[in-house]
Amino acid sequence: MYRICSFFLLALAAAAQPANQPADVIWSGRYVITMDAQRRVIENGAVAIRGDRILAVGPKAEIDARYQAKQRLDRPEAIIAPGLINTHTHAAMSLFRGIADDLTLQDWLTKFIFPAEAKNVTPDFVRWGTRLGCLEMLLSGTTTYTDMYYFEDVVAEATKEAGMRGVLGETIIGFPVADNKTPADALVFTEKFLKRFQNDPLIVAAVAPHALYTNSDETLKASRALANKYQAPLVIHLSETKKENDDEQAKRHASPTKTLDDLGVWNGRSVAAHGVWVSEADMAILKARGVGVAHCPSSNMKLASGVAPVTRMLALDMKVGLGPDGPAGSNNDLNLFEEMDLAAKLQNVTTMNPQALPASQALEMATIRGARALGMEKEIGSLEAGKRADLITVRIDSAHGQPLYDAVSQMVYALKGSDVRDVMVNGKPVVRDGKSLTLNEQAILQKAAEYRAKVSASLKN
Ligand SMILES: [Zn+2]
């Protein structure tokens, strides 16, 4: 009799509330910033995860009632947010951090970076440089990054080792570099790379011609054709400096955006870094072709490249993300919290309008809009059921984290990358309590010191 009764009661309870569904992990926090379509911020919220996907997001009490998790992480003094998305960088250049500062892009590149790269860039350099970059990015809450460098197969291996998500492309450039001596070699390398990382859970292989001014028209067309053959994104630098535009005007009486459009380079998934010197007509082209733009405020400010018309891009609902660009002289770090803060303030001060780029839009650019820029918005960029489990916790129990009136404002204007406490990518914890679980921090810092000595010596010869 008792058995029948208890069975009956359990059945009734199950009908009312589908309790105890299995989950692998539940994370709870004081606030969950979802970045979903309603931009919900849930106070005392939680996220349930199974495998590499998010099962559900909601109030903690509701999630706890519905799901039984094998593991849980409760952070009553933290914000849970989507992992941040970096849409443009060169991670391995971390080993050149601070090598030469306070120069124009042209001087910095031709007098320091290109010679230093010629003497130092090897697979080992790229492996340790990428590990250092991934360590910095993960510890400051970036879960996906977009990269363009050399030995990109090694970059991909180091990224997978870190457990990070990467949109990665081998630089295709019109002069001999460390790994490929010609653009044709780089294209062959890229095709092998695209094949090797097809359907990888973490790596999206891309095609990465450096820029219009460093490649022939033939190379640019071949890059687009190759990207489309593998449904891969094409990533490129675009109108970063006024000089780039002036040169193209002198050469063809057109803007770089227009020339690339005429060459068919925008006919497919594309991400253009910088877009500082783009006109209204250029923006119309980029919008029509669905090109993602990687806005890099620190880099543009440090190199005095100019101010990208981001407020206008957002008004046009263009796909704009954020990137720290180079850690070696054009930034010099890989911290997206800083990019969010500067993106907002740069637009405000240059338009003399404190509402030009509000905090909510800055956070959007670092999350869901950045995902759109990469063509990955169905998978990442917000905390929603069915999406990949890429999320972070950010502590708010600090002098600069309290009091908290608005979690989004706090993320953009007050909290720092160093406040990131836990990071999960693709359902796997990669940072716990501010410590990397995947990378050997001590070994990486040791190697960074060794490379500093090597690089310094090489520049004296
Ligand atoms: Zn760049």
Side-chain angles (χ1 to χ4, degrees), residues 71-82:
Q71 291 178 331
R72 57 181 306 129
L73 181 71
D74 295 302
R75 296 287 195 216
E77 296 302 331
I79 291 170
I80 297 178

PDB file of all heavy atoms in Angstrom, residues 71-82:
ATOM      1  N   GLN A  71      27.974  17.801 -11.432  1.00  0.00           N
ATOM      2  CA  GLN A  71      28.874  18.778 -10.817  1.00  0.00           C
ATOM      3  C   GLN A  71      28.189  20.134 -10.811  1.00  0.00           C
ATOM      4  O   GLN A  71      27.360  20.390 -11.675  1.00  0.00           O
ATOM      5  CB  GLN A  71      30.154  18.912 -11.650  1.00  0.00           C
ATOM      6  CG  GLN A  71      31.010  17.677 -11.600  1.00  0.00           C
ATOM      7  CD  GLN A  71      32.234  17.848 -12.485  1.00  0.00           C
ATOM      8  OE1 GLN A  71      32.199  18.569 -13.473  1.00  0.00           O
ATOM      9  NE2 GLN A  71      33.298  17.167 -12.124  1.00  0.00           N
ATOM     10  N   ARG A  72      28.589  20.971  -9.853  1.00  0.00           N
ATOM     11  CA  ARG A  72      28.038  22.318  -9.877  1.00  0.00           C
ATOM     12  C   ARG A  72      29.063  23.334  -9.380  1.00  0.00           C
ATOM     13  O   ARG A  72      30.035  22.992  -8.693  1.00  0.00           O
ATOM     14  CB  ARG A  72      26.723  22.412  -9.103  1.00  0.00           C
ATOM     15  CG  ARG A  72      26.767  21.995  -7.652  1.00  0.00           C
ATOM     16  CD  ARG A  72      25.361  22.131  -7.061  1.00  0.00           C
ATOM     17  NE  ARG A  72      24.835  23.455  -7.281  1.00  0.00           N
ATOM     18  CZ  ARG A  72      23.609  23.707  -7.816  1.00  0.00           C
ATOM     19  NH1 ARG A  72      22.803  22.737  -8.155  1.00  0.00           N
ATOM     20  NH2 ARG A  72      23.199  24.949  -7.972  1.00  0.00           N
ATOM     21  N   LEU A  73      28.839  24.569  -9.791  1.00  0.00           N
ATOM     22  CA  LEU A  73      29.712  25.656  -9.390  1.00  0.00           C
ATOM     23  C   LEU A  73      28.798  26.812  -9.018  1.00  0.00           C
ATOM     24  O   LEU A  73      28.082  27.340  -9.868  1.00  0.00           O
ATOM     25  CB  LEU A  73      30.621  26.057 -10.564  1.00  0.00           C
ATOM     26  CG  LEU A  73      31.614  27.182 -10.310  1.00  0.00           C
ATOM     27  CD1 LEU A  73      32.727  26.716  -9.380  1.00  0.00           C
ATOM     28  CD2 LEU A  73      32.233  27.653 -11.629  1.00  0.00           C
ATOM     29  N   ASP A  74      28.767  27.159  -7.733  1.00  0.00           N
ATOM     30  CA  ASP A  74      27.897  28.254  -7.282  1.00  0.00           C
ATOM     31  C   ASP A  74      28.748  29.472  -6.961  1.00  0.00           C
ATOM     32  O   ASP A  74      29.644  29.402  -6.134  1.00  0.00           O
ATOM     33  CB  ASP A  74      27.097  27.799  -6.054  1.00  0.00           C
ATOM     34  CG  ASP A  74      26.142  26.664  -6.408  1.00  0.00           C
ATOM     35  OD1 ASP A  74      25.301  26.871  -7.300  1.00  0.00           O
ATOM     36  OD2 ASP A  74      26.270  25.573  -5.829  1.00  0.00           O
ATOM     37  N   ARG A  75      28.464  30.560  -7.661  1.00  0.00           N
ATOM     38  CA  ARG A  75      29.221  31.806  -7.477  1.00  0.00           C
ATOM     39  C   ARG A  75      28.254  32.930  -7.143  1.00  0.00           C
ATOM     40  O   ARG A  75      27.899  33.754  -8.002  1.00  0.00           O
ATOM     41  CB  ARG A  75      29.972  32.170  -8.771  1.00  0.00           C
ATOM     42  CG  ARG A  75      31.038  31.174  -9.202  1.00  0.00           C
ATOM     43  CD  ARG A  75      32.244  31.268  -8.311  1.00  0.00           C
ATOM     44  NE  ARG A  75      33.403  30.598  -8.876  1.00  0.00           N
ATOM     45  CZ  ARG A  75      34.288  29.944  -8.124  1.00  0.00           C
ATOM     46  NH1 ARG A  75      34.135  29.860  -6.808  1.00  0.00           N
ATOM     47  NH2 ARG A  75      35.337  29.392  -8.693  1.00  0.00           N
ATOM     48  N   PRO A  76      27.802  32.980  -5.863  1.00  0.00           N
ATOM     49  CA  PRO A  76      26.841  34.021  -5.499  1.00  0.00           C
ATOM     50  C   PRO A  76      27.427  35.432  -5.587  1.00  0.00           C
ATOM     51  O   PRO A  76      26.683  36.403  -5.543  1.00  0.00           O
ATOM     52  CB  PRO A  76      26.448  33.662  -4.063  1.00  0.00           C
ATOM     53  CG  PRO A  76      27.525  32.767  -3.572  1.00  0.00           C
ATOM     54  CD  PRO A  76      28.109  32.078  -4.758  1.00  0.00           C
ATOM     55  N   GLU A  77      28.748  35.546  -5.727  1.00  0.00           N
ATOM     56  CA  GLU A  77      29.388  36.865  -5.836  1.00  0.00           C
ATOM     57  C   GLU A  77      30.014  37.056  -7.210  1.00  0.00           C
ATOM     58  O   GLU A  77      31.105  37.616  -7.328  1.00  0.00           O
ATOM     59  CB  GLU A  77      30.442  37.029  -4.726  1.00  0.00           C
ATOM     60  CG  GLU A  77      29.872  37.029  -3.326  1.00  0.00           C
ATOM     61  CD  GLU A  77      28.820  38.131  -3.115  1.00  0.00           C
ATOM     62  OE1 GLU A  77      28.901  39.169  -3.783  1.00  0.00           O
ATOM     63  OE2 GLU A  77      27.912  37.922  -2.287  1.00  0.00           O
ATOM     64  N   ALA A  78      29.333  36.544  -8.232  1.00  0.00           N
ATOM     65  CA  ALA A  78      29.886  36.708  -9.585  1.00  0.00           C
ATOM     66  C   ALA A  78      28.778  36.862 -10.614  1.00  0.00           C
ATOM     67  O   ALA A  78      27.624  36.494 -10.387  1.00  0.00           O
ATOM     68  CB  ALA A  78      30.760  35.508  -9.947  1.00  0.00           C
ATOM     69  N   ILE A  79      29.177  37.437 -11.751  1.00  0.00           N
ATOM     70  CA  ILE A  79      28.313  37.507 -12.929  1.00  0.00           C
ATOM     71  C   ILE A  79      28.673  36.318 -13.818  1.00  0.00           C
ATOM     72  O   ILE A  79      29.851  36.004 -13.980  1.00  0.00           O
ATOM     73  CB  ILE A  79      28.582  38.826 -13.712  1.00  0.00           C
ATOM     74  CG1 ILE A  79      28.082  40.036 -12.914  1.00  0.00           C
ATOM     75  CG2 ILE A  79      27.950  38.784 -15.097  1.00  0.00           C
ATOM     76  CD1 ILE A  79      28.523  41.387 -13.499  1.00  0.00           C
ATOM     77  N   ILE A  80      27.663  35.660 -14.382  1.00  0.00           N
ATOM     78  CA  ILE A  80      27.914  34.670 -15.427  1.00  0.00           C
ATOM     79  C   ILE A  80      27.566  35.343 -16.753  1.00  0.00           C
ATOM     80  O   ILE A  80      26.500  35.957 -16.883  1.00  0.00           O
ATOM     81  CB  ILE A  80      27.060  33.398 -15.230  1.00  0.00           C
ATOM     82  CG1 ILE A  80      27.443  32.708 -13.908  1.00  0.00           C
ATOM     83  CG2 ILE A  80      27.239  32.439 -16.410  1.00  0.00           C
ATOM     84  CD1 ILE A  80      26.623  31.461 -13.601  1.00  0.00           C
ATOM     85  N   ALA A  81      28.475  35.247 -17.717  1.00  0.00           N
ATOM     86  CA  ALA A  81      28.256  35.895 -19.023  1.00  0.00           C
ATOM     87  C   ALA A  81      28.719  34.956 -20.131  1.00  0.00           C
ATOM     88  O   ALA A  81      29.477  34.013 -19.873  1.00  0.00           O
ATOM     89  CB  ALA A  81      29.036  37.209 -19.080  1.00  0.00           C
ATOM     90  N   PRO A  82      28.279  35.225 -21.356  1.00  0.00           N
ATOM     91  CA  PRO A  82      28.827  34.442 -22.468  1.00  0.00           C
ATOM     92  C   PRO A  82      30.331  34.670 -22.561  1.00  0.00           C
ATOM     93  O   PRO A  82      30.804  35.776 -22.260  1.00  0.00           O
ATOM     94  CB  PRO A  82      28.131  35.030 -23.710  1.00  0.00           C
ATOM     95  CG  PRO A  82      26.971  35.824 -23.208  1.00  0.00           C
ATOM     96  CD  PRO A  82      27.334  36.266 -21.821  1.00  0.00           C
TER      97      PRO A  82
END
